[in-house]
């Protein structure tokens, strides 16, 4: 999530045994018989995941002063240990590890199964969350009449509570609205998680009135359903590039990795035209992060580097350390820094090599002295100057930042930066993260899953980053770029007003 490294991961360990795909033929209620060996496999991987977090995550140390994270880690560990003894299938194993990761409250920490059964079950309907409503947005042919119906309850449980129980523990940090939206399409997908109940009947509000439906659970291939589930989330895809839209310009930047870097180069080349335009839109739909430095490069092109640093500060010369934060000086994290330097040093240039090289030296020195961090863990910042209103000098027109529910990780940092630069945010509310950064993941001992940790902390940052609510929400299909462009140029630009009040 930080300026340089972003979501680069290191994968270590050995691969596990192959998973035999369930054949598509057979009786509909086919399930593998309980296998007690999964309990031991799950317990061993839970302990490995716990040690990964305990020994490498900054928040697991008392020095950071985050007792809430340490409590969450111990509670999630205890729950995972208890569930491990009940696991008698791969599905139970996967659910246990997912719940452990989810219980830590940061989507950067995940369990990523390396093998998944090909078949799931669904009732021929897919749910989307639209505001506070849970709406059927996709069906098979037999259930086409249910399109647009609102799901209100399942097995007598109101849908909000039903979703919290079945999704909140496994697929989403439930306090974050964007993650509820992302998880919603899985509400009526049965992956044979043994720790939740598959509903028998659900209540709907349809155009013809209230209706209770007994669900007919059908087998389907996971790979066939995935595109439909992704579409049902209701997020967009900005793509990449710089183009003229009306009297202004549209910067499409769907990630903050190499393709996003190429767009930043385009923006720098056309900086004079963009600065003179009546409006510029930075489209971040679908952006899950990468390097927030790319966002700083776009800001510098639009406003001038000195103006940006006057408002946001320097990434490399701050009273609280550089833009990559303070790293926990564990052996695993140091090995990952060395891996990053070897893998990415040449392509990212001398400044990157210097920053990572300095981090390695600092982390190794701290580790040798028995100190847990590469640098300071607390920051006595001077009083912040009062925030200037409007945009800084540099742009004639208005900067509009367009977000959807997929904006996460370094995308959040970029949105925060541009909001501080006076940008007008439109679209959907973003996801949220914490001040911990720099993801890496390892294979767990069985090879059936990979588990991630974070390695650094932004000591001068707020504990939580996001969610960021738009000043002007878009209620249409945010994936429909043509319609969205008409709305932005016809409504959002007018609502945003002039660059400076």
């Amino acid at each position: 999530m930080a300026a340089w490294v972003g979501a680069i991961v290191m994968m270590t360990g050995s691969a596990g045994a192959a998973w035999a795909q369930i054949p598509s033929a057979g009786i509909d209620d086919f399930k593998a018989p309980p296998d007690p060996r999964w309990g031991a496999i799950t317990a061993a991987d839970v302990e490995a995941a716990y040690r990964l977090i305990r020994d490498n995550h900054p928040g697991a140390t008392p020095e950071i002063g985050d007792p809430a994270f340490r409590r969450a880690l111990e509670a999630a560990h205890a729950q995972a240990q208890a569930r491990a003894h009940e696991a008698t299938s791969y599905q139970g194993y996967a659910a246990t590890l997912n719940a452990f990761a989810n219980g830590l409250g940061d989507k950067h920490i995940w369990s990523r199964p390396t093998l998944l059964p090909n078949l799931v079950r669904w009732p021929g309907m897919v749910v989307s969350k639209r505001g506070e409503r849970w709406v059927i947005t996709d069906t098979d042919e037999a259930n086409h009449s249910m399109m647009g119906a609102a799901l209100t309850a399942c097995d007598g449980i109101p849908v909000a509570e039903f979703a919290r129980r079945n999704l909140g523990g496994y697929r989403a940090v439930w306090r974050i609205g964007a993650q509820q939206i992302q998880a919603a399409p899985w509400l009526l997908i049965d992956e044979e998680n043994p720790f939740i109940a598959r509903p028998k009947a659900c209540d709907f509000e349809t155009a013809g009135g209230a209706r209770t439906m007994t669900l007919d659970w059908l087998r389907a291939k996971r790979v066939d359903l995935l595109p439909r589930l992704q579409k049902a989330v209701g997020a967009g895809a900005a793509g990449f590039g710089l183009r003229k839209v009306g009297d202004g310009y549209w910067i499409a930047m769907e990630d903050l990795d190499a393709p996003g870097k190429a767009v930043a180069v385009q923006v720098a080349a056309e900086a004079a035209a963009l600065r003179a335009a009546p409006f510029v839109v930075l489209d971040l739909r679908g952006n899950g992060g990468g390097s927030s430095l790319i966002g700083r490069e776009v800001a510098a092109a639009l406003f001038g580097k000195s103006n940006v640093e006057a408002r946001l500060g320097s990434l490399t010369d701050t009273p609280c350390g550089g833009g990559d934060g303070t790293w926990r000086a564990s052996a695993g994290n140091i090995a990952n820094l060395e891996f990053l330097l070897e893998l990415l040093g040449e392509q990212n240039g001398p400044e990157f090599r210097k920053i990572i090289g300095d981090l390695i030296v600092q982390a190794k020195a701290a580790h040798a002295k028995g100190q847990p961090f590469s640098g300071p863990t607390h920051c006595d910042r001077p009083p912040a100057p009062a925030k200037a209103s409007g945009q800084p000098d540099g742009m004639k027109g208005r900067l509009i930042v367009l977000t959807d529910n997929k904006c996460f990780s370094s995308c959040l940092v970029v949105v925060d930066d541009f909001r501080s630069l006076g940008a007008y945010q439109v679209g959907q509310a973003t996801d949220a993260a914490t001040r911990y950064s720099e993801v890496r993941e390892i294979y767990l001992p069985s090879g059936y899953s990979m588990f991630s940790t974070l390695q650094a902390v932004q000591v001068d940052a707020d504990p939580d980053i996001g969610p960021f609510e738009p000043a002007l929400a878009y209620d249409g299909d945010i994936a429909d770029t043509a319609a969205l462009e008409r709305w932005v140029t016809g409504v959002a630009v007018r609502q945003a007003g002039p660059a400076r009040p």
Side-chain angles (χ1 to χ4, degrees):
M1 189 169 65
W4 286 103
V5 180
I8 298 297
V9 298
M10 180 175 76
M11 296 176 282
T12 61
S14 58
W19 177 261
Q21 180 175 302
I22 300 174
S24 58
I27 61 173
D28 188 58
D29 289 333
F30 173 85
K31 288 180 68 174
D35 186 340
R37 291 175 295 180
W38 280 109
I41 293 170
T42 306
D45 279 5
V46 163
E47 292 311 300
Y50 172 69
R51 290 192 300 271
L52 174 69
I53 301 295
R54 182 195 65 192
D55 298 343
N56 298 279
H57 192 292
T61 68
E63 287 82 2
I64 290 300
D66 189 351
F69 180 83
R70 298 201 303 276
R71 287 194 299 269
L73 174 60
E74 297 307 319
H77 179 221
Q79 184 183 62
Q81 285 179 314
R83 282 182 171 152
H85 296 299
E86 300 177 32
T88 60
S89 65
Y90 181 79
Q91 290 88 340
Y93 162 90
T96 298
L97 269 298
N98 284 342
F100 183 25
N102 193 70
L104 300 181
D106 188 332
K107 205 170 72 175
H108 282 107
I109 302 174
W110 62 72
S111 175
R112 185 158 64 93
T114 56
L115 304 163
L116 284 171
N118 184 44
L119 296 181
V120 295
R121 288 177 173 81
W122 73 315
M125 297 179 287
V126 175
V127 180
S128 298
K129 190 169 189 285
R130 299 291 183 258
E132 297 304 314
R133 300 174 72 241
W134 298 75
V135 182
I136 302 301
T137 55
D138 192 6
T139 70
D140 62 8
E141 188 174 349
N143 289 287
H144 186 69
S145 64
M146 296 299 292
M147 282 288 291
L151 175 62
T152 58
C154 284
D155 293 342
I157 304 169
V159 64
E161 175 61 18
F162 175 71
R164 186 193 65 78
R165 293 184 191 182
N166 283 22
L167 299 175
Y170 303 93
R171 286 192 169 270
V173 179
W174 208 242
R175 62 182 172 79
I176 301 171
Q179 292 190 32
Q180 294 184 26
I181 294 170
Q182 295 159 21
W186 291 90
L187 186 61
L188 296 182
I189 304 297
D190 177 20
E191 297 184 277
E192 296 185 10
N193 178 347
F195 305 112
I196 61 177
R198 183 174 74 186
K200 295 180 174 62
C202 291
D203 300 331
F204 299 88
E205 284 292 340
T206 72
R211 176 180 178 184
T212 298
M213 176 185 288
T214 299
L215 303 182
D216 182 15
W217 290 92
L218 310 168
R219 290 195 297 166
K221 292 181 179 179
R222 181 186 296 272
V223 293
D224 292 340
L225 283 182
L226 278 176
R228 304 172 76 162
L229 299 175
Q230 291 164 358
K231 182 179 180 181
V233 169
F240 299 94
L242 172 64
R243 62 183 184 273
K244 196 85 164 54
V245 174
D247 296 329
Y249 285 89
W250 195 284
I251 304 169
M253 190 172 283
E254 196 173 330
D255 70 28
L256 295 167
D257 294 313
K261 172 71 173 179
V263 176
V265 172
Q266 282 184 281
V267 170
E270 300 292 333
L274 270 66
R275 289 185 180 191
F279 68 89
V280 174
V281 177
L282 177 60
D283 182 356
L284 297 174
R285 289 175 299 156
N287 194 310
S291 170
S292 60
L293 179 62
I294 293 172
R296 281 292 189 105
E297 291 174 357
V298 172
L302 296 176
F303 298 114
K305 184 177 180 181
S306 61
N307 288 333
V308 171
E309 291 192 347
R311 189 75 66 91
L312 301 180
S314 169
L315 285 172
T316 57
D317 183 22
T318 75
C320 304
D324 282 302
T326 295
W327 283 58
R328 185 162 176 192
S330 67
N333 293 346
I334 291 170
N336 188 47
L337 281 167
E338 292 175 328
F339 168 79
L340 290 171
L341 185 60
E342 180 180 355
L343 180 69
L344 301 174
E346 288 303 316
Q347 70 187 61
N348 283 288
E351 191 173 1
F352 173 88
R353 292 195 295 272
K354 182 179 188 310
I355 287 179
I356 299 301
D358 288 349
L359 275 172
I360 291 171
V361 170
Q362 294 160 10
K364 282 187 170 181
H367 186 70
K369 295 175 183 177
Q371 297 172 351
F373 287 92
S374 66
T377 56
H378 294 84
C379 176
D380 295 325
R381 294 181 67 94
K387 284 192 175 182
S389 61
Q391 296 176 175
D393 292 331
M395 280 189 67
K396 172 186 175 183
R398 194 69 155 105
L399 179 61
I400 296 172
V401 173
L402 171 62
T403 61
D404 64 9
N405 64 77
K406 290 293 187 72
C407 182
F408 181 62
S409 194
S410 289
C411 178
L412 298 169
V413 177
V414 171
V415 171
D416 193 23
D417 282 351
F418 276 99
R419 283 165 57 110
S420 296
L421 291 167
Y424 188 75
Q425 183 188 349
V426 303
Q428 295 178 343
T430 68
D431 207 327
T434 68
R435 64 179 179 150
Y436 301 116
S437 60
E438 309 306 338
V439 180
R440 71 178 173 94
E441 62 179 355
I442 65 167
Y443 278 107
L444 295 179
S446 72
Y448 285 114
S449 184
M450 301 185 75
F451 208 90
S452 69
T453 187
L454 293 158
Q455 304 167 96
V457 58
Q458 307 297 317
V459 297
D460 56 340
D462 293 332
D464 295 308
I465 304 173
F468 296 111
E469 297 283 344
L472 184 64
Y474 183 64
D475 296 327
D477 179 3
I478 205 163
D480 185 342
T481 298
L484 188 63
E485 284 185 1
R486 290 191 295 271
W487 177 80
V488 168
T489 56
V491 177
V493 169
R494 185 175 64 251
Q495 292 284 346
R500 304 184 72 85

